[in-house]
Amino acid sequence: MNKTSPLAIMAMIGAAVLCFGILSVDAADNGWITGTVKYEGTPPKPRPVDITKDKEVCGLKPHFEEDLIVGANGGIANAVVYVADAKAKPKPETVIFDQKGCDYEPHVLAFAAGSTIQIKNDDGILHNIHTYSTKNPPINIAQPQFKKVIAVKVEKPELIKVTCDAHGWMKGWWFSAANPYYAVTDKNGNFTIKDVPPGNYEVTVWQEKLGEQKHQVSVKAGAPTTLDVSMKPKA
Ligand SMILES: [Cu+2]
């Protein structure tokens, strides 16, 4: 009879534990940061924008200033929440920045550094993409009606203002992230940053009109870390 020695069994168990240990280092061991960014005080009323050009296309819907959009629950849309000090490589992808009805969709586009931005022109009129970047090469290109898509790559992490020189009310932002840990708040101010390895981090919350806040968080394996933030106008 082939007897397995207790030592060999121990070694096998040990190997199995080690193996399981290695295999289980995946998303289940990560945590996530979730919460709401809210407006402190009485939310501002929507401010209509005057459409002064290409009214037959741009005037088909009412336009409002988008620099501070507060939802019914007081949540702030389009705030960027990111973990600036996390050490992980960004995961580039292809994302869409659409010019639709003479607005940008989305108003704030977040992506990993190295991503390709497909700038779409759905309007059949001339737009112009003008980025105010300093770390990446600035872009200032016309996009006539026949050019449905222009693709650009943003290599470096940066927060970039984007405007259209043809339509002064068209303003947007690109957030090029240094690592995979970022999110943009939805229309109710909610956000979730998924798959964050356990550890202590500094989380930055940025809103174009209200500025920046920094918060210390501690992320635990397999569990949510709640980060609720309130922002108010700069003094
Ligand atoms: Cu335009």
Side-chain angles (χ1 to χ4, degrees), residues 40-75:
E40 200 178 316
T42 311
K45 287 199 174 75
R47 290 150 293 149
V49 165
D50 244 1
I51 301 304
T52 48
K53 197 179 169 189
D54 295 320
K55 284 184 186 169
E56 70 288 356
V57 175
C58 305
L60 293 175
K61 62 170 186 183
H63 291 252
F64 297 93
E65 294 288 354
E66 296 177 306
D67 56 357
L68 180 57
I69 300 170
V70 180
N73 65 336

Side-chain angles (χ1 to χ4, degrees), residues 54 58 99 102-104 123 125-128 163-170:
D54 295 320
C58 305
Q99 298 160 112
C102 307
D103 274 332
Y104 291 129
D123 284 340
I125 55 168
L126 171 79
H127 287 298
N128 152 279
T163 65
C164 172
D165 294 339
H167 309 103
W169 65 88
M170 291 178 71

